[in-house]
Amino acid sequence: MFRKYRKKSPWILHYNAGSCNGCDIEILAALAPKYDLERFGVINTGNPKQSDIFLVTGPVTFRSRERLVELYTQMPEPKVVIALGSCTCTGGVFRDMYNVEDGIDRYIPVDVYVPGCAASPELLIDGVVKALEILEEKTKAIEKPFRLFKEASSENGIINRRHSALKVGEKDEED
Amino acid sequence: MSKKTIHIPLGSQHISLLEPVRFKFECENEKIVGVDSDVGFVHRGIERACTTKFKFDAIGYVVARVCGLCAITHSLSYTVAIEKLLGGEISKKAKYLRILLLELDRIHSHMLCLSHTCENAGFEAMFMRIMGDRELVMEIQELLTGNRIQFDYISIGGVNRDLDVQTAKKIIENLALVKAKVFSYIDEFTNNWSLSLKFKGIGALTLEDAYRFNAIGPLARACGLPIDVRNEIEYLPFDEVGFKMQTHNDGDINARNMVRLNEILNSLEMCENILRGLPEGEIFTKLKGKPKGEALMRFEAPRGELMYYVKGDGSAMLNRVRIKTPTFACIPAFSHIFMGEEYADAPAILASFDPCLSCTAK
């Protein structure tokens, strides 16, 4: 049941990691009647524990990086991260300033990059729709059963599992 | 009833905040008795980068990224300061176009503030209505400059795009629509009973306190303090296009909303006057040389007075750029207003200040 409704109504957590407000007000504009992101069931929440999509704006400043990582770790799996705006993707105009960490992908993995200064609501909607696809894939990947061990090898009649454990990300040959 | 106080944090990440700011409220039951604020989360080091990384002709576009809402005021203040140092005279048409965009920016910023105040007071429908109507102004800005938020419209010596006849026609049409909407908001804000419960008499600042805490912008004008930089400067002809000071006497959230609504009406009138009496001429004058000397420039951003100090020594790199932003000057007044209010009203009061933290921390 959760799988069905997660796709139908993804909740967004928005965090400003030092942006100029431009992208933040475009998020508000996207939620407002003209662009109406809420028709996809999207709602802006303040609680990381109920959110599916993490929307970050701004190059990461020195003081906001701890909170950024903390918010990311508090969100339950599956989760998607959208980097909104040029400065979030690469640092943009703020690159190499002394208090800026040049983009969020130094700290957390990013799934969708949305460029633009400021990113327009149309691009934001495209990004969220793309994020929904990724969210669905991630949900499937989580729910798929996987094996911890390969076929047990037996030497001299003794079953030995020592060398048959699968490493992280390694595919089972029978798959 | 115990005398024990509880500490409640608001932020740095909160649903009612667009930007990271942290307030620590010391509450006695429901009353706020102490406030501690921390605004430095978004400090990026723009002032430093302006003197080491960028040449003087690019900084106009860099300082626009200090703040997305008052981007135009930032780049305008810097550009006018540099023009003062280079010693050139720009054409009258360029000056009028600059005022036009400045006032359009003020309209959309005030509308955002009003809608955000309504949202934080729990009136979601009004938020949606104002945000929907704000798109009319955003549409004009996109037509005029090519972008919705970060315009990059002003360059040293003039403006980057000319205004053609069709755009002017469209602007006048949209502004007339906005004007009708603003009158309906004034009706709603004065007569709606549930909004009056949240706004009237809450978060009040007296005239003496406004003097004492050095309040500026709509916050001061709502207390009856007539300060507006547009009234005091000469390098842009604000008096020619019909600027009028808007003040109110109550000092509470409702007064701030009314001041903002009246300012929107005044700005609409100014935009119309500009479009109907736009002078002929070039939009761009080439200015030569490198900035040498010091210049101080003040402008009225949507939130209050914005001050730029620029110092150059005749090379392409500047020696010092200092930005003093409106929200920074208002923080003592903010902290004073929170004292003695209910904790439940805190988000609405905070939104009614229209704080801009990315300006403050730079």
Side-chain angles (χ1 to χ4, degrees):
Chain A
M1 197 174 87
F2 274 124
R3 187 177 53 193
K4 189 176 166 193
Y5 292 113
R6 193 178 287 133
K7 190 193 155 198
K8 292 282 181 193
S9 72
W11 284 14
I12 281 184
L13 175 69
H14 163 225
Y15 184 63
N16 178 335
S19 103
C20 71
N21 267 354
C23 297
D24 308 76
I25 50 184
E26 292 294 56
I27 293 172
L28 278 190
L31 290 170
K34 187 178 175 191
Y35 294 100
D36 203 10
L37 196 54
E38 292 192 355
R39 68 174 183 258
F40 296 112
V42 168
I43 192 169
N44 191 6
T45 81
N47 191 347
K49 289 176 182 145
Q50 297 169 342
S51 320
D52 305 302
I53 297 179
F54 191 22
L55 201 57
V56 189
T57 56
V60 183
T61 58
F62 190 71
R63 285 188 67 188
S64 60
R65 67 206 163 108
E66 285 168 24
R67 279 158 191 86
L68 178 78
V69 175
E70 198 174 306
L71 284 171
Y72 178 75
T73 47
Q74 280 184 10
M75 283 172 63
E77 289 281 350
K79 55 193 167 190
V80 181
V81 180
I82 305 181
L84 184 66
S86 298
C87 57
T88 322
C89 301
T90 62
V93 71
F94 305 120
R95 201 173 174 88
D96 297 334
M97 285 185 187
Y98 67 86
N99 211 24
V100 169
E101 311 274 334
D102 297 350
I104 64 165
D105 47 7
R106 288 192 177 186
Y107 289 96
I108 57 176
V110 181
D111 297 297
V112 184
Y113 292 91
V114 181
C117 183
S120 67
E122 290 96 339
L123 276 174
L124 171 61
I125 291 170
D126 282 354
V128 171
V129 171
K130 186 89 188 161
L132 285 182
E133 285 168 21
I134 296 176
L135 188 68
E136 204 178 355
E137 260 172 43
K138 282 195 173 179
T139 316
K140 271 183 193 157
I142 279 184
E143 285 170 356
K144 195 176 168 191
F146 58 91
R147 296 170 62 160
L148 292 173
F149 292 98
K150 283 185 267 191
E151 281 298 308
S153 59
S154 59
E155 287 173 20
N156 305 331
I158 306 165
I159 297 171
N160 185 2
R161 283 195 173 241
R162 179 168 293 167
H163 304 294
S164 61
L166 281 167
K167 286 175 192 138
V168 178
E170 192 187 338
K171 277 268 163 26
D172 195 350
E173 282 158 15
E174 289 171 18
D175 266 356
Chain B
M1 287 276 239
S2 67
K3 281 279 176 214
K4 215 174 132 192
T5 58
I6 313 164
H7 292 268
I8 305 178
L10 181 81
S12 66
Q13 188 269 337
H14 191 269
I15 178 73
S16 73
L17 299 174
L18 276 175
E19 319 162 76
V21 57
R22 194 181 60 212
F23 282 96
K24 220 183 231 168
F25 294 115
E26 204 180 330
C27 294
E28 200 173 275
N29 293 330
E30 281 284 302
K31 287 263 181 291
I32 298 170
V33 293
V35 190
D36 184 21
S37 60
D38 182 351
V39 294
F41 284 97
V42 281
H43 176 65
R44 285 153 290 180
I46 290 175
E47 285 181 1
R48 169 90 178 146
C50 287
T51 56
T52 55
K53 204 181 146 195
F54 298 102
K55 289 185 178 167
F56 80 95
D57 48 356
I59 293 178
Y61 306 121
V62 177
V63 290
R65 267 76 181 173
V66 171
C67 171
L69 277 167
C70 27
I72 189 75
T73 331
H74 277 277
S75 56
L76 183 60
S77 311
Y78 174 80
T79 311
V80 175
I82 287 291
E83 277 162 6
K84 213 172 165 188
L85 291 182
L86 296 179
E89 184 63 34
I90 65 159
S91 69
K92 195 153 192 183
K93 187 174 182 187
K95 280 185 180 174
Y96 269 66
L97 285 174
R98 283 175 177 188
I99 297 182
L100 175 66
L101 195 60
L102 196 62
E103 294 309 317
L104 285 177
D105 188 61
R106 194 184 313 280
I107 294 167
H108 99 80
S109 171
H110 279 347
M111 285 176 94
L112 182 85
C113 171
L114 288 167
S115 64
H116 203 228
T117 315
C118 287
E119 192 199 15
N120 283 2
F123 201 165
E124 191 84 11
M126 196 74 187
F127 165 73
M128 286 298 180
R129 222 173 110 190
I130 304 182
M131 285 302 282
D133 299 339
R134 180 173 159 272
E135 290 298 327
L136 290 169
V137 187
M138 306 303 282
E139 210 174 278
I140 300 174
Q141 287 175 346
E142 195 169 5
L143 273 178
L144 184 62
T145 67
N147 205 353
R148 283 166 53 93
I149 299 280
Q150 292 286 3
F151 312 114
D152 293 345
Y153 186 62
I154 290 171
S155 57
I156 296 172
V159 293
N160 283 338
R161 269 200 192 193
D162 205 350
L163 178 73
D164 57 13
V165 182
Q166 281 162 336
T167 315
K169 206 175 151 196
K170 177 81 180 162
I171 291 175
I172 288 175
E173 269 173 28
N174 273 14
L175 289 183
L177 285 175
V178 174
K179 198 167 193 172
K181 307 267 186 193
V182 172
F183 279 118
S184 74
Y185 301 151
I186 290 180
D187 178 47
E188 198 80 11
F189 274 96
T190 37
N191 297 330
N192 191 311
W193 184 69
S194 42
L195 272 182
S196 77
L197 288 179
K198 281 281 184 185
F199 289 161
K200 281 189 182 152
I202 287 173
L205 184 71
T206 58
L207 184 57
E208 292 84 57
D209 284 341
Y211 270 119
R212 195 152 65 92
F213 291 109
N214 189 20
I216 50 175
L219 183 66
R221 266 169 263 149
C223 313
L225 193 64
I227 48 167
D228 195 318
V229 184
R230 285 178 286 174
N231 213 13
E232 300 159 15
I233 54 177
E234 289 109 39
Y235 29 82
L236 284 188
F238 278 108
D239 48 344
E240 287 175 24
V241 294
F243 167 71
K244 287 190 213 79
M245 180 82 73
Q246 308 294 335
T247 52
H248 202 282
N249 292 324
D250 293 350
D252 55 358
I253 300 182
N254 184 48
R256 273 167 234 147
N257 288 339
M258 294 317 288
V259 166
R260 290 211 172 91
L261 285 165
N262 287 330
E263 272 183 22
I264 292 176
L265 282 181
N266 185 218
S267 295
L268 288 169
E269 196 187 318
M270 282 159 80
C271 289
E272 270 182 31
N273 288 346
I274 291 167
L275 289 169
R276 298 204 191 281
L278 193 66
E280 290 289 314
E282 288 295 311
I283 56 163
F284 188 77
T285 329
K286 200 162 171 58
L287 299 180
K288 282 183 180 161
K290 301 270 163 60
K292 188 171 187 184
E294 295 173 288
L296 191 72
M297 200 49 57
R298 299 190 304 147
F299 265 101
E300 182 79 9
R303 290 160 188 75
E305 177 197 301
L306 174 73
M307 192 204 82
Y308 263 70
Y309 168 78
V310 176
K311 187 182 174 195
D313 60 351
S315 64
M317 289 293 186
L318 295 171
N319 283 0
R320 182 81 172 99
V321 177
R322 169 82 181 112
I323 312 168
K324 201 209 90 185
T325 53
T327 312
F328 182 70
C330 283
I331 288 174
F334 289 2
S335 303
H336 179 73
I337 290 173
F338 276 122
M339 300 286 187
E341 298 293 335
E342 303 265 324
Y343 177 73
D345 293 328
I349 298 175
L350 183 60
S352 78
F353 299 147
D354 201 5
C356 181
L357 281 318
S358 55
C359 272
T360 314
K362 297 182 279 287

